[in-house]
């Protein structure tokens, strides 16, 4: 399967948070986002192993609303791009 | 016994509601020293004892990275309150307990108030509080801050903790690897503890107990150890470790990381320690039989959001809400209320004063001071109270219901281009109502850089008090396209704001993209009590200012308008100090089309209140009423000059009340001057361009 098609169909296990579909659950594998925002993300509960669901994106497609640990959070796509997810996961 | 209690908790946990419920109206509101974060304190009766309750800023964690977190941490460490009261939102227990874990690590006596437990139980959720208390090591008391239930239990828990303090720490609940690393580091540290006051170097100690230079009480070893395990370099340098100590600690941290990486390859200390806290929370919740509420509440909230943040509906709904707010405020309802108040002040109080003066045979200048100075000046501002309260009513309801967070969510993308985030959106919109209140509203912007930038930009949103000026000139010169002309001014203001934002972003506010990580709380019915309290606080604030700053300014303006440079009382304002001053600034304003000294003076008096531009023109051109003034204006202005005058009014510095409020909220004189310079420059440049370029076409 050509690389870009595999990516589009989600055949790769490793995706980043911004690539989830609306309503889809996945589990955090690693938080690679750098800078000051990193600490905030981790402290808000985005730690390896945590389950996250993408709820929806704002009308311009960014930022996005996610659900984790029983509550809702909004983060920007740029920050979500650094959060590596692995398949499966649930509340 | 006199207890000191600190109230700590996440934003949105009901902290303010609990504070108000416990203390009633007797609050002292101030700022934390050196920063613009609000500090509230109040006395309250707790059984037979008295307690001082200090409301700490709402924070998600104790890491010393934001001002609010630093204040909270420093207060807990240096002022050492007798008990820390940690309010926790039971509908969002897992995330809220993260702060609780850190508070436990500090080993100060702690009481956990489980707020909204009634809501969780109504929706079928459950938690065994006794079991949770035992597992956590701190008393957990279910309460409802809104309904004021569970306070008896809360009081006895607070008194018990104060009499026999007990906090076994949080580390005993963490996993074996974390416990081992903490133990090794604590033994390596020995007595070494951070020297000086490293967490709050920019703050002076707040309140009692910790004067400048007072020895800093040592934080518990486990708390320091966890900071080191997080890889916090500032914590390392604050400890002044010996080479041997550093080596031992590095070894312990290395082993901890290796163990963690066997589960999560590549993980770092920060994520490992946070993960350890969250894992402990999950275990505690599981063992205490926590079952979360049914999803019904979330589903309703979700349903609302599917509409409110819908791809195509979000913007029209938002515009409709704003439209309703402005229609109510500036439409018949708000105008009617203001008009009524104006009638009471001018015709009631004014007539009464005039009769009284006549009966007493007071000299003319005293009557003039009271009528034209005080009543016209202070009264002219007070009449705006109903409209300001109306805007605040809407904004409070929007905020309490949770819609504000959604407005930030849908606007974030657009504001990013200007180096801001969605959080700045609402204060800016409030600027259409009143700059003074919008600037205070900017407190909702979490980060200081963004907050300052928001405050600097807000004056460009044309405030409600400028409408009378537009109305006057549009009626006199642009009868056919009045609406269009006023709309063009609003748009021009936003354009100027955008330009200034871009300039600021490239100059004074260069550093840093602000992190935008924001909680989206579920929709809730706003509490009428909270809304009423906030309106009352606004009204009190506003009236206090009207009675002090505005009063003083009105007297000064009256003086300048009524006395000549050699201090003789004059009735012809052209010979007054104002007239002389106007003559001085007239040449500077000639290039923008206001060579007439009266126009300069009108603009000057607009610095007290924008409405004063109209009333000053009326006095200076000796017009009996607004209708006559509209007829007279074309003799003094060309249509181009009139438009240029409106643009200048739109952009030049806001009124004194707004500037005073900006000074307070910016916490910096330099930034306040920057704002004044920015507005003056923008106003002059725009009016000059319009007048000079326009003259080429309409000469």
């Amino acid at each position: 399967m050509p690389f870009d098609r595999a990516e589009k169909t989600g055949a790769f296990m490793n995706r980043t948070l911004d690539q989830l579909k609306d309503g889809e659950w996945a589990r955090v594998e690693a938080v690679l986002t750098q800078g000051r925002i990193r600490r905030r993300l981790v402290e808000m509960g985005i730690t390896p192993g945590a389950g996250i669901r993408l709820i929806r994106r704002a009308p311009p497609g960014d930022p996005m609303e996610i659900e984790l640990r029983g509550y809702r959070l909004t983060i920007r796509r740029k920050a979500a791009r650094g959060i590596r997810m692995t398949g499966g996961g649930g509340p | 016994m006199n207890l000191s209690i600190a109230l700590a908790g996440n934003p949105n946990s009901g902290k303010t509601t609990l504070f108000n419920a416990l203390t009633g109206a007797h609050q002292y509101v101030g700022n934390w020293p050196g920063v613009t974060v609000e500090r509230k304190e109040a006395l309250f009766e707790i059984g037979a004892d008295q307690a001082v309750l200090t409301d700490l800023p709402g924070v998600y964690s104790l890491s010393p990275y934001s001002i609010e977190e630093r204040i909270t941490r420093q207060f807990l460490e240096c002022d050492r309150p007798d008990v820390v009261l940690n309010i926790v939102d039971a509908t969002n227990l897992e995330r809220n307990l993260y702060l609780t874990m850190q508070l436990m690590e500090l080993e100060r006596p702690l009481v956990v108030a489980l707020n909204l437990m009634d809501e969780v139980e109504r929706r079928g959720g459950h938690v065994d509080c006794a079991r949770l208390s035992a597992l956590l090591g701190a008393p957990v008391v279910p309460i409802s801050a809104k309904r004021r239930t569970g306070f008896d239990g809360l009081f006895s828990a607070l008194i018990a903790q104060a009499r026999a303090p007990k906090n076994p720490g949080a580390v005993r609940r963490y996993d074996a690897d974390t416990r081992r690393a903490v133990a090794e580091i604590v033994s390596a540290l020995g007595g070494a503890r951070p020297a000086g006051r490293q967490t709050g170097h920019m703050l002076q100690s707040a309140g009692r107990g910790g004067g400048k230079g007072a020895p800093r009480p040592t934080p518990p070893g486990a708390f320091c150890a966890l900071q080191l395990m997080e890889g916090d370099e500032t914590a390392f340098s604050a400890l002044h470790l010996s080479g041997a100590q550093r080596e031992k600690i590095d070894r312990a941290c290395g082993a901890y990381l290796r163990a963690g990486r066997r589960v999560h390859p590549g993980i770092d200390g920060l994520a490992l320690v946070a993960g350890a806290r969250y894992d402990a929370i999950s275990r505690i919740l599981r063992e205490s039989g926590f079952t979360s509420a049914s999803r019904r509440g979330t589903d309703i909230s979700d349903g609302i959001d599917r509409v409110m943040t819908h791809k195509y509906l979000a913007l029209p709904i938002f515009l409709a809400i704003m439209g309703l707010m402005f229609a109510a405020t500036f439409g018949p309802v708000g105008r009617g209320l203001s008009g009524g108040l104006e009638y009471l002040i001018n015709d009631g109080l004014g007539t009464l004063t005039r009769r009284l003066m006549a009966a007493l045979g007071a000299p003319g200048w005293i009557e003039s001071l009271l009528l034209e100075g005080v009543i016209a000046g202070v009264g002219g501002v007070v009449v705006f109270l109903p409209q300001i309260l109306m805007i605040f009513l809407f904004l409070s309801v929007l905020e309490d219901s949770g819609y504000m967070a959604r407005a930030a969510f849908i606007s974030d993308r657009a504001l990013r281009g200007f180096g801001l985030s969605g959080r700045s959106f609402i204060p800016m919109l409030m600027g259409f109502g009143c700059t003074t209140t919008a600037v205070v509203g900017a407190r909702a912007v979490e980060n200081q850089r963004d907050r300052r930038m928001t405050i600097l930009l807000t004056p460009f949103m044309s405030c409600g008090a400028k409408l009378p000026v537009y109305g006057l000139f549009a009626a006199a010169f642009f009868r056919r396209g009045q609406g269009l002309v006023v709309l063009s001014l609003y748009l021009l203001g936003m354009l100027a704001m955008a330009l200034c934002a871009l300039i600021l972003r490239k100059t004074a506010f260069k550093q840093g993209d602000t992190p935008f990580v924001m909680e989206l709380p579920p929709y809730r019915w706003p509490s009428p009590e909270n809304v009423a309290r906030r309106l009352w606080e606004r009204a009190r604030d506003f009236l206090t200012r009207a009675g002090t700053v505005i009063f003083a300014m009105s007297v000064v303006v009256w003086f300048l308008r009524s006395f000549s440079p050699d201090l003789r009382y004059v009735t012809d304002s052209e010979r007054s100090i104002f007239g002389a001053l106007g003559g001085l600034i007239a040449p500077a304003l000639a290039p923008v089309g206001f060579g007439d000294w009266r126009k300069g003076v009108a603009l000057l008096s607009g610095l007290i209140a924008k409405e004063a531009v109209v009333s000053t023109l009326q006095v200076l051109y000796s017009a009996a009423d607004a209708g006559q003034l509209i007829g007279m204006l074309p003799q003094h202005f060309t249509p181009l000059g009139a438009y240029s005058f409106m643009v200048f009014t739109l952009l030049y510095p806001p009124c004194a009340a707004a500037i005073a409020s900006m000074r307070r909220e910016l916490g910096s004189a330099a930034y306040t001057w920057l704002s004044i310079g920015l507005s003056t420059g923008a106003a002059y440049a725009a009016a000059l361009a319009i007048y000079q370029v326009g003259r080429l076409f309409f000469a």
Side-chain angles (χ1 to χ4, degrees):
Chain A
M1 197 185 287
F3 177 82
D4 57 336
R5 243 194 83 202
E7 197 172 44
K8 269 182 200 142
T9 52
F12 281 124
M13 282 297 286
N14 282 340
R15 288 178 296 165
T16 49
L17 179 56
D18 61 299
Q19 291 166 329
L20 297 193
K21 288 193 282 287
D22 284 13
E24 187 185 357
W25 280 101
R27 209 159 274 287
V28 178
E29 197 175 61
V31 185
L32 305 172
T33 315
Q34 291 303 316
R36 282 195 305 151
I37 194 173
R38 178 184 157 74
R39 180 176 276 271
R40 179 45 53 89
L41 293 175
V42 167
E43 286 178 334
M44 294 302 269
I46 306 181
T47 57
I52 297 187
R53 180 160 72 123
L54 181 83
I55 302 296
R56 62 173 64 84
R57 293 173 171 85
D62 186 21
M64 45 212 271
E65 179 180 352
I66 59 175
E67 179 178 327
L68 75 158
R69 302 192 187 272
Y71 79 104
R72 298 293 177 84
L73 194 65
T74 165
I75 63 173
R76 287 176 177 171
R77 190 161 55 196
K78 193 176 160 211
R81 227 175 249 147
I83 301 170
R84 215 167 60 207
M85 308 298 289
T86 173
Chain B
M1 193 162 56
N2 220 334
L3 294 179
S4 64
I5 300 173
L7 179 59
N10 284 185
N12 292 314
S13 57
K15 204 163 60 64
T16 307
T17 312
L18 178 61
F19 185 84
N20 292 337
L22 287 178
T23 63
H26 317 287
Q27 308 177 354
Y28 167 76
V29 184
N31 280 351
W32 293 91
V35 292
T36 53
V37 180
E38 192 175 72
R39 173 182 177 149
K40 278 198 288 191
E41 254 173 19
L43 285 171
F44 75 106
E45 305 285 321
I46 171 168
D49 301 317
Q50 266 223 326
V52 185
L53 187 66
T54 305
D55 190 21
L56 296 171
V59 292
Y60 291 111
S61 98
L62 289 184
S63 56
Y65 285 86
S66 74
I67 300 174
E68 287 79 6
E69 288 164 348
R70 272 200 295 266
I71 290 170
T72 302
R73 191 159 143 185
Q74 200 196 354
F75 185 81
L76 296 177
E77 284 184 52
C78 298
D79 290 62
R80 299 175 77 79
D82 296 322
V83 192
V84 181
L85 170 54
N86 174 209
I87 181 166
V88 159
D89 176 356
T91 64
N92 183 358
L93 203 45
E94 205 175 333
R95 215 276 324 286
N96 271 253
L97 285 177
Y98 188 83
L99 178 67
T100 309
M101 283 297 162
Q102 290 188 314
L103 290 170
M104 288 296 293
E105 287 165 15
L106 269 178
E107 293 175 23
R108 304 290 310 143
L110 187 74
V111 171
V112 176
L114 204 54
N115 193 24
L116 292 174
M117 198 53 217
D118 51 337
E119 192 181 316
V120 172
E121 276 170 356
R122 219 175 26 250
R123 283 162 43 198
H126 175 74
V127 69
D128 180 346
C129 282
R131 190 94 191 92
L132 185 58
S133 300
L135 288 163
L136 209 55
V140 178
V141 189
I143 63 155
S144 167
K146 205 163 161 179
R147 286 171 220 283
R148 305 180 178 217
T149 56
F151 285 7
D152 290 340
L154 184 64
F155 289 167
S156 43
L158 285 168
I159 292 171
Q161 269 289 33
R163 297 232 164 99
K166 195 177 74 195
N167 182 342
V171 176
R172 64 201 184 98
R173 291 287 158 223
Y174 296 165
D175 61 281
D177 288 331
T178 309
R179 285 204 311 271
R180 187 179 315 118
V182 168
E184 279 169 25
I185 295 173
V186 167
S187 96
L189 280 174
R193 291 288 194 279
R197 38 187 69 255
Q198 99 285 9
T199 54
H201 51 83
M202 56 164 297
L203 300 167
Q204 287 176 6
S205 173
R208 62 181 196 111
K212 225 178 184 173
R216 179 197 182 78
T218 54
F223 184 78
C224 296
L226 285 160
Q227 262 185 291
L228 298 177
M229 287 155 67
E230 285 183 356
D232 187 338
E233 270 307 316
T234 54
F236 270 106
S237 53
L239 283 166
H240 306 292
L241 299 167
S242 71
Q245 280 178 314
R246 177 86 204 216
E247 200 179 309
K248 269 190 204 162
I249 291 169
D250 281 344
R251 224 176 15 242
C253 288
Y256 182 56
L257 273 181
R258 273 194 304 282
R261 283 175 180 162
R262 278 198 286 276
V263 187
H264 300 294
I267 198 170
D268 67 347
L270 178 65
L272 256 180
V273 172
R277 289 189 185 116
Y278 272 112
D279 287 348
I281 292 166
S282 302
R283 269 195 305 277
I284 289 172
L285 286 179
R286 212 169 32 242
E287 286 172 33
S288 57
F290 175 71
T291 44
S292 55
S294 78
R295 296 194 48 85
R296 213 186 69 223
T298 330
D299 288 347
I300 294 170
S301 194
D302 235 12
I304 300 174
D305 257 349
R306 254 193 287 279
V307 181
M308 291 299 204
T309 62
H310 183 269
K311 202 169 174 182
Y312 302 113
L313 292 180
L315 191 62
I317 289 176
F318 169 77
L319 291 176
I321 291 175
M322 288 298 130
L324 186 67
M325 177 168 112
F326 283 108
T329 308
F330 300 111
V333 182
R335 268 212 310 269
L337 287 171
S338 276
L341 199 57
E342 195 173 2
Y343 177 80
L344 276 181
I345 292 170
N346 288 351
D347 295 73
L349 200 60
T351 313
L352 200 69
T353 312
R354 204 168 291 127
R355 286 212 189 116
L356 195 68
M357 289 298 118
L360 293 176
W365 69 270
I366 289 190
E367 189 181 333
S368 160
L369 169 64
L370 288 177
L371 287 171
E372 287 157 35
V374 177
I375 294 182
V378 176
V381 175
V382 169
V383 295
F384 280 88
L385 183 62
Q387 289 179 319
I388 286 175
L389 291 185
M390 190 76 96
I391 283 220
F392 260 84
L393 174 68
F394 268 87
L395 293 169
S396 288
V397 169
L398 288 181
E399 182 155 11
D400 276 13
S401 66
Y403 182 73
M404 287 293 200
R406 273 73 188 183
F409 177 63
I410 57 179
S411 67
D412 177 64
R413 183 72 194 79
L415 284 171
R416 206 175 308 168
F418 304 114
L420 290 170
S421 79
R423 288 185 195 271
S424 301
F425 193 48
I426 296 302
M428 284 186 171
L429 285 173
M430 288 164 70
F432 283 134
C434 169
T435 309
T436 312
T437 48
V439 163
V440 179
R443 285 185 181 177
V445 182
E446 190 183 33
N447 152 295
Q448 174 160 292
R449 170 198 174 271
D450 279 27
R451 187 165 53 233
R452 284 191 163 154
M453 197 160 157
T454 309
I455 292 172
L456 290 181
L457 295 175
T458 307
F460 292 115
M461 311 303 265
S462 182
C463 82
K466 291 174 187 168
L467 265 178
V469 185
Y470 306 156
L472 176 74
F473 281 89
F477 295 95
F478 307 101
R479 201 153 299 208
R480 297 189 59 188
Q482 280 193 37
L484 224 56
V485 165
V486 175
L487 182 68
S488 77
L489 289 164
Y490 275 88
L491 294 177
L492 197 68
M494 285 189 260
L495 183 72
M497 186 214 76
L499 283 175
C500 284
L502 292 176
I503 293 169
L504 286 176
R505 199 194 174 181
K506 293 269 179 264
T507 54
F509 292 87
K510 228 183 228 161
Q511 99 289 12
D513 238 351
T514 327
F516 180 64
V517 177
M518 187 185 67
E519 194 181 346
L520 285 168
Y523 286 102
R524 287 212 172 88
W525 285 109
S527 128
E529 215 171 301
N530 262 356
V531 172
R533 173 182 287 270
R534 230 171 299 164
L535 288 185
W536 160 239
E537 279 170 6
R538 282 317 308 165
R540 195 182 49 191
D541 220 43
F542 182 82
L543 291 175
T544 311
R545 213 173 22 236
T548 52
V549 182
I550 306 286
F551 175 81
M553 295 293 260
S554 302
V555 173
V556 169
V557 166
W558 168 84
F559 178 80
L560 294 176
R561 199 161 58 190
S562 311
F563 282 85
S564 61
D566 54 355
L567 299 183
R568 268 181 323 189
Y569 181 62
V570 290
T571 42
D572 175 13
S573 49
E574 186 154 10
R575 290 192 294 133
S576 69
I577 303 177
F578 242 175
L581 225 54
L584 280 179
I585 56 170
L589 289 176
V592 288
F594 328 139
D596 183 351
W597 69 272
R598 284 167 287 207
K599 298 174 190 172
V601 166
L603 288 171
L604 266 187
S605 63
L607 290 176
I608 310 303
K610 296 294 155 204
E611 315 81 275
V613 173
V614 175
S615 55
T616 307
L617 284 174
Q618 199 164 320
V619 172
L620 295 182
Y621 285 125
S622 309
D625 54 40
Q628 200 185 345
L629 184 60
I630 288 172
M632 289 167 70
L633 279 178
Q635 298 159 28
H636 303 282
F637 286 85
T638 60
L640 184 64
Y643 194 76
S644 162
F645 191 84
M646 283 193 282
V647 168
F648 200 92
T649 306
L650 162 75
L651 297 173
Y652 85 129
C655 68
I659 293 175
S661 148
M662 288 173 78
R663 170 69 186 82
R664 199 177 58 225
E665 300 300 322
L666 283 165
S668 147
Y671 277 110
T672 313
W673 282 111
L674 174 64
S675 164
I676 294 172
L678 210 57
S679 331
T680 313
Y684 199 86
L688 185 71
I690 286 168
Y691 190 67
Q692 294 298 344
V693 174
R695 274 212 310 191
L696 301 177
F697 294 95
F698 303 109

